Amino acid sequence: MTFPIIQTPRLTLRQLTPVDSSAIFALRSNPEVAAFQDRPLQQNLEESAAFIDKINTGIDRETWIFWAITLQETAELIGTACLWNFSENQTRADLGYELLPTFQGSGYMLEALKPILDYGFTQLQQIDGVTHKNNDRSTQLLKKLNFTLNPNFADGNEIMYTLKKRS
């Protein structure tokens, strides 16, 4: 599979490379970014390099697709987004995303996720977004993207929003 590079007016969404280790460390060691996620903060650049290797191995195996979100003007990595946890029949996946706090509130994630969803719906029938029930920014983002609350999902502090492919 050729990796789908996506261009938007302000962003380039591309595959992670080893050069991204420092930026991934900044993102995945940031307590504010991880506040609503159930994962430990990265402790060093070696963990970031290993994470990038793991992500790219998963892309090669078609386990997930994972984009680095970069600014077009500077090529600075400001976040990531992915489609992962595909259903066995490859008709459903989960949407994941994170953005450095400095860039939150500027519409970057909305701009990144719209074409990612378009890409996903070339193959999928449903995309789910799971977020912490207190993560208001994530909830608002999913609603702006026309996701609706999935009342059948109950997992402690997490809630699920679902978007189905329009026929």
Side-chain angles (χ1 to χ4, degrees):
M1 164 185 102
T2 302
F3 190 88
I5 296 171
I6 298 172
Q7 302 278 338
T8 73
R10 299 182 295 168
L11 305 170
T12 299
L13 284 59
R14 59 161 176 80
Q15 189 167 357
L16 287 170
T17 69
V19 175
D20 295 318
S21 289
S22 293
I24 288 297
F25 179 71
L27 186 66
R28 296 185 65 87
S29 66
N30 187 304
E32 202 175 327
V33 172
F36 295 109
Q37 299 180 21
D38 186 22
R39 65 168 164 80
L41 294 177
Q42 287 187 349
Q43 301 298 312
N44 53 55
L45 287 174
E46 290 76 23
E47 287 182 14
S48 299
F51 174 78
I52 291 169
D53 286 345
K54 173 185 167 185
I55 290 303
N56 287 332
T57 298
I59 290 169
D60 291 343
R61 293 181 179 160
E62 299 185 5
T63 306
W64 49 64
I65 186 141
F66 194 100
W67 288 270
I69 301 171
T70 64
L71 296 175
Q72 277 203 16
E73 281 187 16
T74 62
E76 178 183 2
L77 189 151
I78 63 169
T80 63
C82 64
L83 292 170
W84 68 289
N85 198 22
F86 289 90
S87 62
E88 199 170 301
N89 62 2
Q90 301 288 303
T91 61
R92 193 209 65 77
D94 286 342
L95 176 67
Y97 47 88
E98 55 191 356
L99 192 66
L100 285 167
T102 309
F103 298 96
Q104 293 176 8
S106 299
Y108 287 117
M109 193 56 75
L110 183 66
E111 185 175 327
L113 293 183
K114 283 181 178 180
I116 287 173
L117 293 171
D118 290 343
Y119 174 83
F121 282 126
T122 62
Q123 300 161 21
L124 302 168
Q125 297 300 310
Q126 177 177 319
I127 297 174
D128 295 319
V130 178
T131 190
H132 191 280
K133 66 182 181 183
N134 296 330
N135 191 342
D136 295 332
R137 287 184 122 162
S138 183
T139 298
Q140 291 309 311
L141 175 64
L142 291 170
K143 287 178 179 178
K144 280 182 188 173
L145 292 164
N146 297 316
F147 281 72
T148 56
L149 184 63
N150 183 335
N152 301 319
F153 180 85
D155 188 18
N157 289 324
E158 294 185 320
I159 52 177
M160 177 186 285
Y161 286 81
T162 297
L163 184 62
K164 295 188 185 242
K165 182 176 184 176
R166 294 192 183 128
S167 20

